[in-house]
Amino acid sequence: MELAPGLTRITAPNASPYTFTGTNSFLIGRDKLALVDPGPEDAAHLESLHRAIAGRPVTAILLTHTHRDHSAAAADLAKRYGVPRWFGGPHRLSRPLRRFERNPIKRSCDWDLIPDRTLTDGEIIGAGDMQVTVHTTPGHCANHLAFGLPEADILLSGDHVMGWNSTLVAVPDGSMADYFASLDKVIALPYRHYHPAHGGPIADGPAHAAALKAHRQMRNEQLLAAVGNGAKTLGAVVKVIYPTQPAKIRMAARMTMAAHMEYLEERGALKVSRGIFGMRLALA
């Protein structure tokens, strides 16, 4: 689907409760192209990308981040087209693991993918035959980027801002503090139209990002209220806030509420006692 002059979207057939209708790959450029988020290693999707490229030269593969639903096909496609991979550095945690802790989304991360060029905040790069501005937007994960197309008033917002759902923030892979800071950052950027990596376009991106921020602030308040009313564990908090959600959604909710818990703990609003048998919560 052509979204704007020089911007085409190809959606991978990997629909799920976490990916909505599938991962959006993008082609930037007209006569020369850059490929953003090549997506999963799915033969039908790779063929769709090849048809959309239609013999035009590809100059680089860009990644918003290194979760495998975005990056798994990057290595093979870089070889196929003989192009470099540019993104925000190898996959890394937002903070070190604590004792006895595990990364709940470890298998979804592309740990072995190394960039040919590490992109930095504010740099302007040639993407195909267009200019793109790089914006670091950690939160969903540590190396998340958004790509701005200034001439088109478009921000490719990756998983940071999506229209269909709020973003999963799973500590220690992601960070709620970073997520809030990155929301403030994109709200202040001069782009109105957002195109996320899952779902359709967002007509007023800054307004939608502000609504997501308000939603996350509401979850902070709900967590504190649940603990104030007697919930002493993360599981108990999730039952209060998400009483009717199906199991898969509650798994994601638990991960994001853990990120809210850390955020509130860091700000002195919540006390968290950690032990080998779990965590106990109390208001500070």
Side-chain angles (χ1 to χ4, degrees):
M1 176 179 290
E2 184 176 17
L3 303 171
L7 183 64
T8 301
R9 185 185 73 206
I10 306 96
T11 302
N14 62 331
S16 77
Y18 295 100
T19 59
F20 194 41
T21 56
T23 302
N24 293 330
S25 301
F26 296 94
L27 295 174
I28 299 174
R30 298 176 177 86
D31 299 320
K32 293 192 299 182
L33 304 173
L35 170 59
V36 180
D37 284 355
E41 291 182 296
D42 178 273
H45 182 56
L46 297 183
E47 183 57 31
S48 294
L49 290 174
H50 189 60
R51 287 198 306 269
I53 290 168
R56 290 172 289 178
V58 179
T59 63
I61 291 173
L62 312 180
L63 300 178
T64 59
H65 61 295
T66 46
H67 287 155
R68 290 187 58 80
D69 60 309
H70 297 254
S71 63
D76 287 344
L77 286 175
K79 291 178 182 177
R80 179 172 185 172
Y81 294 109
V83 297
R85 301 163 301 192
W86 298 350
F87 51 101
H91 197 85
R92 58 190 182 273
L93 297 178
S94 291
R95 62 158 175 76
L97 285 167
R98 295 190 175 97
R99 192 179 183 189
F100 305 121
E101 186 182 23
R102 64 181 184 87
N103 178 5
I105 62 169
K106 181 178 180 179
R107 292 183 179 180
S108 299
C109 305
D110 210 338
W111 298 98
D112 297 327
L113 195 63
I114 305 297
D116 299 297
R117 174 178 174 179
T118 298
L119 300 177
T120 58
D121 189 49
E123 69 174 307
I124 298 173
I125 59 174
D129 49 21
M130 299 179 69
Q131 297 293 301
V132 168
T133 305
V134 177
H135 301 285
T136 53
T137 49
H140 175 62
C141 66
N143 68 351
H144 195 284
L145 304 175
F147 297 112
L149 285 68
E151 292 182 10
D153 192 21
I154 286 172
L155 184 73
L156 301 183
S157 57
D159 280 6
H160 180 54
V161 177
M162 300 180 291
W164 74 283
N165 202 2
S166 57
T167 298
L168 172 67
V169 179
V171 292
D173 197 72
S175 160
M176 190 60 69
D178 288 347
Y179 177 68
F180 273 119
S182 293
L183 282 177
D184 288 337
K185 181 176 184 175
V186 298
I187 290 168
L189 290 175
Y191 307 101
R192 183 172 181 83
H193 306 290
Y194 291 7
H195 289 281
H198 303 279
I202 302 169
D204 189 338
H208 189 72
L212 289 174
K213 180 181 177 181
H215 175 74
R216 287 281 150 234
Q217 289 170 331
M218 177 194 71
R219 292 296 190 215
N220 282 335
E221 294 167 3
Q222 287 180 320
L223 192 157
L224 291 174
V227 173
N229 289 327
K232 301 300 183 186
T233 66
L234 193 59
V237 167
V238 172
K239 286 181 181 179
V240 170
I241 298 176
Y242 301 92
T244 62
Q245 294 288 1
K248 283 188 176 181
I249 302 303
R250 289 180 70 170
M251 284 175 56
R254 183 183 179 93
M255 287 187 278
T256 293
M257 292 312 297
H260 280 284
M261 178 194 73
E262 282 198 7
Y263 177 83
L264 293 167
E265 180 188 20
E266 290 165 359
R267 277 145 189 80
L270 197 66
K271 292 181 181 178
V272 182
S273 301
R274 294 176 177 84
I276 191 170
F277 298 111
M279 296 179 291
R280 302 287 290 179
L281 311 182
L283 295 181

Short mmCIF file of all heavy atoms in Angstrom, two decimals, residues 21 29 35 101 110 142 151 186 190 193-194 206 228 232 251 262:
data_model
loop_
_atom_site.label_atom_id
_atom_site.label_comp_id
_atom_site.label_asym_id
_atom_site.label_seq_id
_atom_site.Cartn_x
_atom_site.Cartn_y
_atom_site.Cartn_z
N THR A 21 -2.48 -7.06 13.20
CA THR A 21 -2.65 -7.67 11.88
C THR A 21 -1.33 -8.15 11.27
O THR A 21 -1.34 -8.76 10.20
CB THR A 21 -3.30 -6.67 10.91
OG1 THR A 21 -2.51 -5.47 10.86
CG2 THR A 21 -4.70 -6.31 11.38
N GLY A 29 11.53 5.72 -0.46
CA GLY A 29 12.21 6.12 -1.69
C GLY A 29 11.35 5.87 -2.91
O GLY A 29 10.28 5.26 -2.84
N LEU A 35 14.79 -0.24 3.09
CA LEU A 35 13.79 -1.15 3.65
C LEU A 35 13.80 -1.02 5.17
O LEU A 35 14.85 -1.21 5.80
CB LEU A 35 14.10 -2.58 3.23
CG LEU A 35 13.31 -3.72 3.89
CD1 LEU A 35 11.82 -3.56 3.67
CD2 LEU A 35 13.80 -5.06 3.36
N GLU A 101 16.50 -13.15 38.50
CA GLU A 101 15.59 -12.57 37.52
C GLU A 101 15.87 -13.13 36.14
O GLU A 101 17.00 -13.49 35.81
CB GLU A 101 15.74 -11.04 37.49
CG GLU A 101 14.72 -10.35 36.61
CD GLU A 101 14.92 -8.84 36.56
OE1 GLU A 101 16.05 -8.38 36.82
OE2 GLU A 101 13.95 -8.12 36.25
N ASP A 110 16.53 -10.43 19.14
CA ASP A 110 17.52 -10.83 18.14
C ASP A 110 18.92 -10.50 18.66
O ASP A 110 19.54 -9.51 18.26
CB ASP A 110 17.23 -10.10 16.83
CG ASP A 110 17.65 -10.90 15.61
OD1 ASP A 110 18.51 -11.78 15.77
OD2 ASP A 110 17.13 -10.64 14.52
N ALA A 142 15.59 -1.07 24.63
CA ALA A 142 16.65 -0.06 24.81
C ALA A 142 17.13 0.53 23.50
O ALA A 142 17.58 1.68 23.47
CB ALA A 142 17.82 -0.67 25.59
N GLU A 151 9.98 15.98 5.01
CA GLU A 151 9.26 16.55 3.87
C GLU A 151 7.82 16.06 3.81
O GLU A 151 6.94 16.75 3.30
CB GLU A 151 9.99 16.21 2.58
CG GLU A 151 11.33 16.90 2.43
CD GLU A 151 12.00 16.58 1.10
OE1 GLU A 151 11.33 15.98 0.24
OE2 GLU A 151 13.18 16.93 0.94
N VAL A 186 8.65 12.48 21.36
CA VAL A 186 7.97 12.47 20.07
C VAL A 186 6.83 13.49 20.03
O VAL A 186 6.55 14.06 18.97
CB VAL A 186 7.46 11.06 19.67
CG1 VAL A 186 8.62 10.10 19.53
CG2 VAL A 186 6.42 10.53 20.64
N PRO A 190 8.36 17.67 15.29
CA PRO A 190 7.47 18.35 14.33
C PRO A 190 6.84 17.42 13.30
O PRO A 190 6.87 17.69 12.10
CB PRO A 190 8.43 19.34 13.66
CG PRO A 190 9.73 18.62 13.63
CD PRO A 190 9.78 17.85 14.92
N HIS A 193 1.79 13.09 11.36
CA HIS A 193 1.27 11.80 10.93
C HIS A 193 2.24 10.69 11.32
O HIS A 193 3.42 10.73 10.95
CB HIS A 193 1.04 11.80 9.42
CG HIS A 193 0.17 12.92 8.95
ND1 HIS A 193 -1.17 12.98 9.22
CD2 HIS A 193 0.47 14.05 8.24
CE1 HIS A 193 -1.68 14.08 8.71
NE2 HIS A 193 -0.71 14.75 8.11
N TYR A 194 1.74 9.69 12.05
CA TYR A 194 2.56 8.56 12.48
C TYR A 194 2.14 7.32 11.70
O TYR A 194 0.95 7.07 11.49
CB TYR A 194 2.38 8.27 13.97
CG TYR A 194 2.94 9.30 14.93
CD1 TYR A 194 3.47 10.52 14.50
CD2 TYR A 194 2.92 9.03 16.30
CE1 TYR A 194 3.96 11.44 15.42
CE2 TYR A 194 3.41 9.94 17.22
CZ TYR A 194 3.92 11.15 16.78
OH TYR A 194 4.41 12.06 17.68
N PRO A 206 0.99 13.30 17.70
CA PRO A 206 1.26 13.88 19.03
C PRO A 206 0.08 13.77 19.98
O PRO A 206 0.26 13.48 21.17
CB PRO A 206 1.60 15.34 18.70
CG PRO A 206 2.15 15.29 17.31
CD PRO A 206 1.33 14.23 16.62
N GLY A 228 -2.86 0.08 47.91
CA GLY A 228 -3.47 0.75 49.06
C GLY A 228 -4.69 0.02 49.59
O GLY A 228 -5.00 0.09 50.78
N LYS A 232 -0.95 -7.19 47.69
CA LYS A 232 0.42 -7.24 48.16
C LYS A 232 1.39 -7.85 47.16
O LYS A 232 2.60 -7.83 47.37
CB LYS A 232 0.50 -8.06 49.47
CG LYS A 232 -0.35 -7.50 50.59
CD LYS A 232 0.04 -6.08 50.97
CE LYS A 232 -0.77 -5.54 52.14
NZ LYS A 232 -0.49 -4.12 52.42
N MET A 251 -0.90 -12.06 30.56
CA MET A 251 0.55 -12.22 30.61
C MET A 251 1.24 -10.92 30.22
O MET A 251 2.19 -10.47 30.88
CB MET A 251 0.99 -13.35 29.66
CG MET A 251 0.72 -14.75 30.16
SD MET A 251 1.14 -16.00 28.92
CE MET A 251 2.85 -15.58 28.58
N GLU A 262 8.24 -0.92 38.87
CA GLU A 262 9.62 -0.40 38.96
C GLU A 262 9.64 1.12 38.85
O GLU A 262 10.40 1.79 39.56
CB GLU A 262 10.48 -1.01 37.86
CG GLU A 262 10.92 -2.41 38.15
CD GLU A 262 12.10 -2.84 37.29
OE1 GLU A 262 12.67 -2.00 36.56
OE2 GLU A 262 12.47 -4.01 37.37
#
